[in-house]
Amino acid sequence: MKKNKYAAKMFLLLALAMTMLIGACSNGGSNAASSGNDGAVSEGESGSAGGELKPVELVMVFPAGGEPKDMKLISEAINKLTKEKINATVKLIPIGFGAWTQQKTLMMSGNEQVDLIVSGLGTYSQDVAKGQFLELDGYLAEQGQGVAEALDSLDPAFLNATRIDGKIYAVPSIRDLAADYGITMRKDLVDKYNIDTAAIKSLDDLDAVFKTIKDNEPGIIPTVKYGISILDIFVGSFFDTLGDGFGVLPGHDNSLKIVNMYETPEYAEMLNTVRRWYEAGYIAKDAATSTETQYNLVKSGKAFSFISHMKPGIETQESRTTGKEMVSVHFRPAVTATSNITSIMWSVARNSKDPERAMMLLNMMYTDKDFINLLDYGIEEKHYVKVSDNVIDYPQGVDATNSGYNLQMGWMFGNQSLSYIWNGDDPELWNQLADFNRNAIKSKALGFTFNADAVKTEIAAVTNVQNQYKIALETGTVDPVAKLPEFIKQQKTAGIDKIIAEKQRQLDEWAAANKK
């Protein structure tokens, strides 16, 4: 997925209406329409008298790099499909990654209609503890049978990873459910300066690379943040973050003993490296406050590289997104943890006006190839053309820099295995991704999801502390020698040790029940 990556939570009727929705969820929505694998609804089971579905507008909210120029055209094409299949129109609301956390929180905390919303992004258990999502088990059985069947193709541990106290509040997109880690760079500059990519084995090997770019390419930032910081995603190669990073498993094992990541030598060493880069001018001075994405910075010629998690086909994906040919160096092994699965999911918000119909829409996202490819790539002949039955490319005169719809986020929209394959990717890419998921190192805690309800007050307090320190530390903006101890002390005052103790208790119970 990748990229799955990076920020916070997202999803949110009047008190009586909410009570009715929760009641409908708990009884499985048995009076609602059932849906087949093509997303269509069986007649005579739901909606108005006479068996026809009443028309409804559904609101679908997701993060993006910004609103594409042709979003209105995509919406019109999607609504033609959804009217035919489930008699619904869909209002698509893309929110920029930089504004996602704030805008999503505002939408979910009030009574604003939100039906389907991307969930995960490191805050799944906290959002569930706040009651922001509806339980999906009943809806999956009634209106989401296609979703359930698509997820059956995965290792059962992947879907179980979404369960909190045995209940499902979100479903993962079918994508790369593991990640390896490294750096992605502009290939033209790698070639121009004969950079030996085979010599890059760790973060420390990048100093010489970044120096070459800084000394010879004024105006180009050697490396920029991916997500909210330079290290936010990369720490997943060393730790199972157990969802929120407040208590982690070093080496994805550590005999299931949880520690405070911010107190580990590995984390301190990474901060020292990033600080060194910042002082050398390899990171922009405004990195901590900038909301510009890595893709836009590369696309505009202002950035050389970014450190991130990866997957098969990452180079062509990033090349399409940035409009520049990119090369990736993988120097940390592929691992899968619960957070890899729960990082990008879909939930029905508690603010949904019609959760049954929202689940029907979600069903289309996992079963309807036309719907999926509209979301992924836009309109045929305008935003892409077919090279063969399942391979596509840009139309003549169109590329990543001028396309009116170039989200390139198929990893987010439901079942990526139904997406077309982009020209230049291996025709067997989806099979390669399945193998990648299957063969990745599995965290010893894979399938464990923390229920944050008992410590949500402490989590709110620790999150406030983190917001004061984390981004500045992980972009090198402040000196970790002085600020990291201060950060740790403030975390302890806010209650991180209580969070870790509760997480350890739940993990021990989970391990005993699963004989780990």
Side-chain angles (χ1 to χ4, degrees):
M1 110 178 180
K2 266 230 104 37
K3 322 220 148 242
N4 318 331
K5 342 217 127 340
Y6 331 76
K9 26 179 187 196
M10 44 232 55
F11 332 92
L12 305 147
L13 252 165
L14 297 165
L16 176 60
M18 189 170 75
T19 302
M20 293 169 64
L21 289 182
I22 295 172
C25 186
S26 64
N27 67 21
S30 58
N31 294 324
S34 63
S35 136
N37 283 354
D38 63 352
V41 181
S42 302
E43 294 183 5
E45 294 185 12
S46 182
S48 63
E52 294 297 325
L53 288 169
K54 295 177 181 178
V56 64
E57 180 182 66
L58 300 172
V59 176
M60 180 173 158
V61 182
F62 55 92
E67 180 166 337
K69 180 178 65 175
D70 290 345
M71 180 59 79
K72 183 178 179 181
L73 296 177
I74 306 305
S75 296
E76 290 171 352
I78 283 174
N79 284 331
K80 184 178 179 181
L81 274 181
T82 56
K83 281 182 181 178
E84 176 188 341
K85 297 286 180 117
I86 61 173
N87 199 19
T89 56
V90 181
K91 183 178 181 181
L92 301 174
I93 301 183
I95 297 174
F97 285 108
W100 172 257
T101 300
Q102 182 179 21
Q103 290 194 32
K104 175 258 324 188
T105 299
L106 290 173
M107 294 179 78
M108 297 292 283
S109 61
N111 290 322
E112 184 172 351
Q113 180 182 350
V114 178
D115 295 288
L116 285 183
I117 186 163
V118 168
S119 56
L121 298 177
T123 60
Y124 176 49
S125 63
Q126 298 163 36
D127 293 342
V128 170
K130 293 178 181 177
Q132 292 187 342
F133 309 138
L134 297 182
E135 179 191 335
L136 298 184
D137 297 80
Y139 295 120
L140 285 168
E142 294 291 333
Q143 295 84 23
Q145 295 170 1
V147 178
E149 289 180 16
L151 294 173
D152 279 346
S153 66
L154 304 176
D155 186 320
F158 291 170
L159 183 57
N160 287 336
T162 72
R163 295 184 182 275
I164 295 181
D165 289 342
K167 298 175 182 178
I168 296 172
Y169 295 90
V171 292
S173 59
I174 297 177
R175 63 183 195 283
D176 48 308
L177 296 168
D180 55 5
Y181 298 80
I183 186 168
T184 298
M185 303 170 284
R186 280 179 49 178
K187 189 175 185 300
D188 60 337
L189 297 180
V190 168
D191 292 343
K192 180 178 179 178
Y193 297 109
N194 297 312
I195 293 171
D196 182 7
T197 57
I200 301 174
K201 307 292 185 184
S202 70
L203 293 179
D204 289 335
D205 295 327
L206 293 170
D207 289 72
V209 176
F210 294 160
K211 185 177 189 305
T212 296
I213 300 302
K214 182 177 184 297
D215 290 349
N216 295 282
E217 296 290 338
I220 295 181
I221 308 164
T223 197
V224 294
K225 62 186 181 183
Y226 181 92
I228 66 170
S229 76
I230 302 293
L231 298 176
D232 183 54
I233 299 299
F234 190 73
V235 296
S237 67
F238 291 92
F239 308 99
D240 183 339
T241 60
L242 299 175
D244 55 17
F246 301 149
V248 302
L249 285 184
H252 299 83
D253 190 325
N254 204 43
S255 300
L256 293 182
K257 299 303 178 186
I258 299 174
V259 304
N260 184 349
M261 176 175 72
Y262 304 104
E263 293 184 288
T264 64
E266 294 92 342
Y267 185 75
E269 184 178 346
M270 284 188 280
L271 291 186
N272 289 335
T273 298
V274 172
R275 177 63 175 174
R276 184 173 72 240
W277 293 347
Y278 181 87
E279 291 184 311
Y282 305 154
I283 298 171
K285 296 303 180 186
D286 67 345
T289 57
S290 173
T291 58
E292 196 64 85
T293 69
Q294 72 277 11
Y295 298 125
N296 287 341
L297 288 168
V298 172
K299 184 184 296 186
S300 62
K302 297 177 182 177
F304 167 67
S305 73
F306 46 86
I307 295 160
S308 69
H309 52 186
M310 301 178 176
K311 61 179 179 179
I314 191 65
E315 291 175 321
T316 52
Q317 173 185 294
E318 304 298 54
S319 297
R320 290 192 301 271
T321 305
T322 62
K324 297 184 184 294
E325 190 173 1
M326 307 296 284
V327 59
S328 296
V329 179
H330 307 239
F331 53 79
R332 295 288 299 170
V335 293
T336 186
T338 300
S339 57
N340 295 101
I341 293 129
T342 61
S343 61
I344 298 292
M345 302 187 293
W346 286 91
S347 292
V348 177
R350 74 174 182 201
N351 289 2
S352 175
K353 299 294 185 182
D354 193 327
E356 286 95 350
R357 206 73 66 86
M359 180 54 74
M360 292 178 197
L361 179 61
L362 187 62
N363 203 65
M364 289 184 66
M365 207 188 303
Y366 283 76
T367 61
D368 191 302
K369 188 164 185 169
D370 292 336
F371 183 58
I372 291 166
N373 283 289
L374 265 172
L375 286 168
D376 287 354
Y377 302 122
I379 299 169
E380 186 176 357
E381 300 299 335
K382 182 173 182 62
H383 303 114
Y384 70 88
V385 292
K386 283 189 173 181
V387 175
S388 64
D389 283 346
N390 206 46
V391 178
I392 63 172
D393 207 337
Y394 289 116
Q396 186 174 0
V398 177
D399 59 25
T401 64
N402 62 19
S403 174
Y405 189 81
N406 191 48
L407 285 182
Q408 297 294 337
M409 297 194 304
W411 40 268
M412 184 170 67
F413 293 117
N415 186 354
Q416 192 177 22
S417 68
L418 295 180
S419 300
Y420 296 130
I421 291 176
W422 202 266
N423 195 27
D425 280 324
D426 193 305
E428 294 299 313
L429 178 58
W430 303 144
N431 291 329
Q432 292 172 1
L433 275 179
D435 289 341
F436 180 71
N437 291 338
R438 190 178 304 114
N439 297 326
I441 298 167
K442 303 292 193 294
S443 170
K444 195 169 184 180
L446 178 62
F448 169 72
T449 299
F450 177 50
N451 184 340
D453 191 47
V455 288
K456 57 188 177 184
T457 300
E458 288 77 13
I459 285 178
V462 173
T463 299
N464 286 336
V465 172
Q466 179 172 278
N467 291 341
Q468 296 175 45
Y469 290 91
K470 179 180 168 70
I471 296 177
L473 283 166
E474 294 185 1
T475 54
T477 307
V478 298
D479 181 4
V481 174
K483 290 298 181 180
L484 180 57
E486 187 179 311
F487 179 28
I488 293 169
K489 181 179 179 180
Q490 293 294 328
Q491 283 184 320
K492 289 183 178 297
T493 300
I496 195 168
D497 290 336
K498 184 177 178 180
I499 298 170
I500 291 173
E502 174 62 17
K503 187 178 284 188
Q504 184 72 66
R505 183 190 68 77
Q506 292 184 28
L507 181 60
D508 291 343
E509 289 182 355
W510 175 86
N514 291 274
K515 298 181 174 62
K516 291 288 183 179

